[in-house]
Amino acid sequence: MTHPAEETADPTGQGPTAPGAHSSGLGSHRRGGLTAEEVADRVARGRVNDVPVRSSRSVREIVRANVFTRFNAIIGIMFAIILVVGPIQDGLFGLVIVANTGIGIIQELRAKRTLDSLALIGEARPQVRRDGAARQIAVAEIVLDDTVLLGTGDKVVVDGLVTEADGLEIDESLLTGEPDAVLKHPGDPVMSGSFVVAGAGAFTATKVGRQAYAAQLAEEASRFTLVRSELRSGIDSILRFITYLLVPAAIGLIVSQLAVERHDWREAVRRMVAGIVPMVPEGLVLLTSVAFAIGVVRLGRRKCLVQELPAIEGLARVDTVCLDKTGTLTEGGMDVVELRPLAPSAAAPSTSAPGTAAPGTSAPDESRLWRAPAEPAALQQALGAMGRADARPNPSMRAVIDAYGTPDGEDGWRVLEAVPFSSARKWSGVQFLEPQGTEASWLLGAPDVLLPADHPALDEVDELGAKGLRVLLLGRSPLPLDAPDPAGRLDPLALVVLQQRLREDASATLRYFESQRVEAKVISGDSAVSVGAVASHLGLPGAEHPVDARTLPSGSAELAEVADRTTVFGRVTPQQKRDLVGALQERGRTVAMTGDGVNDVLALKDADIGVAMGSGSEATRAVAQIVLLDDRFATLPSVVAEGRRVIGNIERVAGLFLVKTVYSVLLALLVVSCHVPYPFLPRHSTVLSSLTIGIPAFFLALAPNNERARTGFVRRVLRLAVPGGVIAGTATFTAYMLARADHATDLKADTSVATLTLFLVAMWVLAMVARPYNWWRLTLIGTMAAAFALVLWVPWLSDFFQLSLVGTRDPFVGVGIAVTAGVLLEVVWRFVVRRTDGP
């Protein structure tokens, strides 16, 4: 592979020299690069680019985080006890541990594999000059003082100082947010994370490994943080409170059951476990993981990678979205929005002094010059011909080619000489033999450079620039391109008006957030005027008053005030992005940050939810919780909608699980105080939980739900859970004690009545939670009732679960008690829950 900087060989043997390269004047720079011995010495001293690739948590961290949880500890201990005392059918609840842990591990490993593959695909293979020859090596093999070669499209992988430059222009937008390329000269610094957009050159590596700029940002952001999840923290709070109850409840149950079951300590232990396990809402933890995992799969079909399950919930709760303009609202590239011919007065020849033809050339005969009329057709032909003559078009010229280029080029314009765009000149030019047979130079570039300061066309340029548009001047000169000043006798013919290419879906996405009362703020490293213009074009409220971040106050309180009331920020540094996110969080906002560059890493990490573009830097993908693999900003509404579905449904079914927790605690207290056998075995709790909570909750959790996410999850679910659990527990214990009064020696019959009563009350709770009804919800309720009837009436099932209803009196009493409890539940639902429900 031949590198652009190596195209011209150096006959001295001291290493190739790029055409037109400047001498750096750096004493340490040698044209031949390092020798093999020098490289080996630096490797031995550790001066190598040894930044570890870390795209996510390690496999060990993922497994440990999902295995060692409070929930697994509680259920695991109970399961181990059942394995000792048996039988195994009383330990069916232990399968929840495997399912819950497996879902979490598999999902995170899937995200890790995707990220690792993205990092591998995007890994650069730079060229370095060693022993006078260019060779391609891995990024990790670069050592301090290496001479790294650069060509168009190459990525700068370490920090350094430019030693050779031939029109070298570097895009540092991923670091600074500034979209314009920077012209580099020998001695200028280059930073890792930037890339070459034009020209060629070389630089000496001055900082490698963790000392490089991009690596420092990535290192600071590499400490893995979990998404703040109200669902997860609420469930953890419930589990923590239950943990405090378990120890005294277990001690009380085991003592009371040993006193009752003196002849069988194993039976006493089984009934103690039967009383403890239902207190833990194990199905709620599992169902939350399942709902999130299914949401992740759905979003994956939309090319959205969710790295953490609760991230879906986090974005659904967001009330402020901070957007980086470049790569989020805009795409790479520009579009021509207008070709504005200049009026005859503005198109008059410049009064600048005419240039002199270079030696060996002759100025065109002005009597033969074609005076181009300012007609759009002729101007478009000239622009198209200029585009074809540019071998390495920059984004502006690419927009011209897209608008006016013709594939065949058979329009009579013959290229005599071409000069590519340079940031130093601020223009590009082509000398043509025009269709009319005349010769002329056509220039396209910055109006303030090509026009005198008092030219009237500059007023138009200023007006367009204030709208965030980029303006180029198209002019025609009789002087050749090799003249000292080809623009000296320029006839300005038209203004080419360009704008950054907006994402087609950006406007609709902003409208969606506005309709959902989610405030969008644009935080960019580009100029405030340009950012404000883009945001205004997309219809973002408040975009007409952009703020230059260089004027932001330093105090946290003042910054929070400005951040709260301002919509658009420009010239924002990476640290200021982070500070603005923190200031909004201080105001009580839940903040999501989107971005694609290294300059967004710190803000992405500190935001409540970080959203990275799949084509962005490795560092942004590593710290973000959500990665848009196809870079489609329009995917975000789908993530919000999916999160709201998950949150709304989990909150809906959480009441079912917590009702079970409350009635289990109440039953344990009543059993201990009354010194009676606990009414259930673990297998009874399993069948009750499965039919009235677990299975129906799974389907309810996957149903459509567009309710807006609200805070106060625990408070709202407890409004139903506490009174519902008290009613269910009281009804069950009442039916149990009445049955014992009839046949105190037949524990199986007493348990069967208690199980029937509790099933009916729990089904009533399910029927309330499932409202409003439709065909599949009614079918679900009916199926669960039919399944319980099979358990009671199919002999081998009733034997397996040790259920047998004796006579008719006690079962009918249980049904009557359950109906009474259902009426009380309706009263609670209508006059307590609904009347006090609020945001």
Side-chain angles (χ1 to χ4, degrees):
M1 175 179 177
T2 301
H3 193 278
E6 303 292 288
E7 289 176 356
T8 303
D10 182 1
T12 66
Q14 297 300 313
T17 304
H22 303 280
S23 174
S24 69
L26 301 175
S28 61
H29 174 60
R30 290 175 297 174
R31 305 290 293 172
L34 298 177
T35 64
E37 292 77 12
E38 289 171 328
V39 172
D41 176 67
R42 283 161 173 76
V43 172
R45 288 187 290 165
R47 297 182 177 181
V48 65
N49 194 44
D50 61 345
V51 178
V53 177
R54 177 188 174 92
S55 61
S56 58
R57 286 199 286 184
S58 67
V59 174
R60 181 178 179 181
E61 290 172 331
I62 291 172
V63 173
R64 184 172 62 243
N66 285 277
V67 171
F68 297 104
T69 64
R70 184 189 303 271
F71 162 75
N72 284 357
I74 295 171
I75 299 299
I77 292 173
M78 296 297 104
F79 181 68
I81 292 174
I82 289 298
L83 290 180
V84 173
V85 301
I88 192 61
Q89 55 261 42
D90 282 329
L92 295 176
F93 61 86
L95 296 176
V96 176
I97 298 177
V98 179
N100 186 58
T101 303
I103 289 171
I105 292 176
I106 291 172
Q107 171 54 32
E108 286 206 47
L109 288 178
R110 171 181 171 274
K112 176 180 173 60
R113 283 195 301 270
T114 304
L115 281 178
D116 289 347
S117 64
L118 286 173
L120 183 63
I121 292 171
E123 185 178 6
R125 295 281 297 179
Q127 288 194 65
V128 299
R129 186 185 297 141
R130 292 178 180 175
D131 293 319
R135 63 182 64 178
Q136 192 174 59
I137 63 173
V139 174
E141 296 176 2
I142 294 177
V143 300
L144 191 68
D145 298 326
D146 248 332
T147 299
V148 184
L149 307 179
L150 294 175
T152 302
D154 287 348
K155 181 179 178 181
V156 181
V157 293
V158 294
D159 294 357
L161 293 176
V162 176
T163 56
E164 305 167 24
D166 178 22
L168 181 64
E169 298 183 27
I170 293 185
D171 187 326
E172 299 178 342
S173 61
L174 289 179
L175 300 172
T176 65
E178 172 59 56
D180 293 329
V182 180
L183 180 67
K184 295 292 183 179
H185 302 285
D188 289 345
V190 290
M191 293 185 293
S192 53
S194 56
F195 59 94
V196 180
V197 295
F203 71 94
T204 297
T206 57
K207 292 181 179 179
V208 296
R210 292 175 173 82
Q211 300 302 316
Y213 177 74
Q216 288 178 346
L217 286 178
E219 183 75 15
E220 185 173 355
S222 64
R223 294 181 296 274
F224 194 89
T225 55
L226 290 172
V227 182
R228 299 184 184 98
S229 167
E230 185 178 347
L231 279 180
R232 183 177 58 199
S233 60
I235 293 172
D236 285 345
S237 298
I238 293 169
L239 287 177
R240 187 164 51 250
F241 177 74
I242 292 172
T243 303
Y244 299 145
L245 293 177
L246 289 181
V247 175
I251 294 174
L253 279 174
I254 194 65
V255 170
S256 67
Q257 296 307 293
L258 285 173
V260 173
E261 304 282 353
R262 299 185 185 189
H263 61 284
D264 190 348
W265 68 270
R266 292 178 180 270
E267 183 70 12
V269 171
R270 278 196 295 272
R271 293 194 178 266
M272 179 273 293
V273 172
I276 294 298
V277 170
M279 296 182 188
V280 183
E282 76 279 2
L284 180 58
V285 178
L286 173 60
L287 186 63
T288 303
S289 297
V290 170
F292 279 140
I294 292 177
V296 167
V297 172
R298 288 178 174 175
L299 291 174
R301 294 172 183 156
R302 297 176 178 265
K303 304 298 182 183
C304 175
L305 172 65
V306 180
Q307 299 201 65
E308 297 178 55
L309 296 181
I312 303 176
E313 173 204 348
L315 192 54
R317 295 191 186 279
V318 160
D319 54 31
T320 305
V321 176
C322 295
L323 310 169
D324 178 41
K325 176 181 73 70
T326 306
T328 303
L329 299 179
T330 62
E331 297 178 333
M334 309 190 76
D335 290 315
V336 176
V337 295
E338 183 183 4
L339 178 61
R340 182 178 296 187
L342 293 175
S345 59
S350 171
T351 58
S352 302
T356 304
T361 63
S362 59
D365 182 2
E366 294 195 40
S367 64
R368 295 176 59 247
L369 279 178
W370 172 63
R371 303 293 294 179
E375 296 177 357
L379 298 176
Q380 290 173 11
Q381 287 182 8
L383 286 169
M386 292 183 74
R388 291 195 304 272
D390 196 333
R392 295 186 303 196
N394 61 15
S396 299
M397 184 58 77
R398 175 58 59 189
V400 170
I401 294 173
D402 292 341
Y404 307 119
T406 56
D408 51 21
E410 298 296 332
D411 49 13
W413 295 77
R414 179 182 171 189
V415 177
L416 302 178
E417 186 180 356
V419 175
F421 178 84
S422 165
S423 295
R425 289 188 300 267
K426 298 293 186 183
W427 55 263
S428 63
V430 182
Q431 187 173 345
F432 288 114
L433 178 62
E434 298 169 334
Q436 291 79 4
T438 55
E439 293 182 15
S441 297
W442 289 73
L443 305 184
L444 181 68
D448 57 334
V449 173
L450 296 175
L451 294 175
D454 59 348
H455 198 284
L458 292 177
D459 293 335
E460 290 184 64
V461 173
D462 292 339
E463 292 178 6
L464 294 169
K467 300 176 181 178
L469 299 171
R470 178 168 295 185
V471 184
L472 299 177
L473 176 76
L474 175 65
R476 181 177 180 276
S477 171
L479 303 178
L481 291 177
D482 55 3
D485 182 15
R489 298 178 61 186
L490 187 73
D491 287 346
L493 300 177
L495 297 178
V496 182
V497 185
L498 306 101
Q499 71 174 7
Q500 287 185 290
R501 186 169 297 160
L502 303 178
R503 290 187 177 275
E504 296 179 357
D505 47 27
S507 180
T509 304
L510 291 177
R511 298 287 77 73
Y512 171 82
F513 283 130
E514 185 178 358
S515 69
Q516 299 298 314
R517 292 179 293 172
V518 176
E519 186 173 357
K521 294 181 181 291
V522 183
I523 303 177
S524 174
D526 203 355
S527 69
V529 172
S530 175
V531 180
V534 170
S536 296
H537 186 78
L538 293 172
L540 183 64
E544 61 275 7
H545 303 294
V547 170
D548 192 314
R550 292 172 291 190
T551 65
L552 288 175
S554 56
S556 59
E558 295 84 357
L559 181 62
E561 175 65 27
V562 175
D564 191 52
R565 69 169 185 264
T566 305
T567 300
V568 176
F569 298 88
R571 300 298 182 196
V572 186
T573 66
Q575 184 59 46
Q576 284 179 317
K577 286 190 177 186
R578 184 184 207 177
D579 294 340
L580 285 170
V581 168
L584 290 168
Q585 289 171 330
E586 287 180 9
R587 286 277 178 160
R589 295 181 181 237
T590 303
V591 182
M593 177 73 197
T594 69
D596 63 345
V598 177
N599 61 316
D600 302 316
V601 166
L602 299 180
L604 284 169
K605 177 178 172 59
D606 283 3
D608 296 286
I609 294 294
V611 182
M613 299 296 171
S615 62
S617 68
E618 294 93 334
T620 56
R621 297 199 300 262
V623 302
Q625 289 83 28
I626 294 174
V627 181
L628 305 180
L629 298 177
D630 59 355
D631 294 350
R632 292 189 68 245
F633 181 45
T635 306
L636 284 182
S638 300
V639 182
V640 173
E642 190 65 31
R644 291 186 173 180
R645 183 193 63 79
V646 171
I647 293 173
N649 289 334
I650 292 298
E651 184 170 316
R652 175 190 292 269
V653 301
L656 293 175
F657 293 97
L658 296 183
V659 164
K660 183 190 70 169
T661 298
V662 173
Y663 73 61
S664 298
V665 172
L666 179 60
L667 284 174
L669 293 176
L670 293 173
V671 165
V672 170
S673 61
C674 296
H675 296 286
V676 295
Y678 191 79
F680 305 117
L681 290 171
R683 68 193 74 175
H684 299 140
S685 299
T686 299
V687 70
L688 285 169
S689 298
S690 299
L691 296 181
T692 64
I693 302 172
I695 296 174
F698 176 81
F699 289 98
L700 292 174
L702 303 181
N705 193 325
N706 296 319
E707 295 179 10
R708 179 179 172 83
R710 298 175 295 168
T711 58
F713 163 72
V714 175
R715 173 173 52 89
R716 283 196 301 275
V717 297
L718 289 180
R719 288 173 179 173
L720 173 64
V722 173
V726 169
I727 293 171
T730 302
T732 301
F733 194 74
T734 301
Y736 176 61
M737 294 302 290
L738 289 176
R740 282 186 60 80
D742 276 354
H743 29 72
T745 59
D746 192 350
L747 184 56
K748 183 177 180 180
D750 302 336
T751 295
S752 299
V753 172
T755 303
L756 173 64
T757 305
L758 183 54
F759 174 81
L760 294 175
V761 177
M763 284 295 291
W764 203 302
V765 175
L766 172 62
M768 292 192 300
V769 169
R771 297 168 183 165
Y773 298 130
N774 54 28
W775 69 268
W776 70 264
R777 297 190 185 200
L778 292 174
T779 301
L780 177 65
I781 295 172
T783 302
M784 296 302 101
F788 184 73
L790 290 176
V791 170
L792 289 179
W793 293 328
V794 174
W796 70 268
L797 285 174
S798 61
D799 291 341
F800 180 86
F801 288 103
Q802 292 192 17
L803 292 174
S804 177
L805 294 174
V806 177
T808 57
R809 176 185 171 185
D810 291 332
F812 277 111
V813 169
V815 171
I817 293 174
V819 171
T820 304
V823 173
L824 290 176
L825 286 171
E826 292 290 346
V827 172
V828 170
W829 180 263
R830 294 180 182 277
F831 296 99
V832 178
V833 176
R834 287 191 175 181
R835 289 193 174 186
T836 59
D837 192 23

